[in-house]
Amino acid sequence: MTTSVPLPSATTRWRCTLCGNLTRFDVTRSSKVVEYVHLDLAGEPKVEEREVVSETIESVRCRWCNAVDQIELVDRPGAGSE
């Protein structure tokens, strides 16, 4: 049972509704990826290409006050002035 949290965009950012934090968050996400893995002759793997097929943000926790899922999207400063 997860609720999708909206991703910030070029004009928005996250803000904690409880303490006002704008910069520090723990993000739990689920991703489905396709990777091109190259193994060297010793068998050591190295990911050379990575394509994200799908990704869902499951929860966002504020690092300042530990509020879980209390995150809103707000405008970034100067986002509308072009």
Side-chain angles (χ1 to χ4, degrees):
M1 183 160 118
T2 60
T3 11
S4 183
V5 177
L7 283 170
S9 68
T11 59
T12 61
R13 64 182 177 176
W14 284 329
R15 178 183 176 277
C16 177
T17 59
L18 295 182
C19 73
N21 171 31
L22 292 165
T23 59
R24 304 286 190 267
F25 303 96
D26 288 317
V27 180
T28 303
R29 68 180 77 217
S30 294
S31 301
K32 181 177 181 181
V33 298
V34 175
E35 295 178 333
Y36 169 62
V37 179
H38 179 192
L39 300 173
D40 66 16
L41 294 177
E44 290 296 319
K46 179 181 178 186
V47 176
E48 293 189 353
E49 294 175 15
R50 184 175 192 254
E51 176 189 354
V52 178
V53 177
S54 65
E55 185 170 63
T56 303
I57 304 290
E58 295 178 4
S59 68
V60 179
R61 182 176 63 86
C62 177
R63 287 296 291 243
W64 288 1
C65 70
N66 285 324
V68 177
D69 297 331
Q70 296 295 317
I71 307 306
E72 65 180 353
L73 285 179
V74 296
D75 291 336
R76 289 187 189 201
S81 59
E82 292 196 22

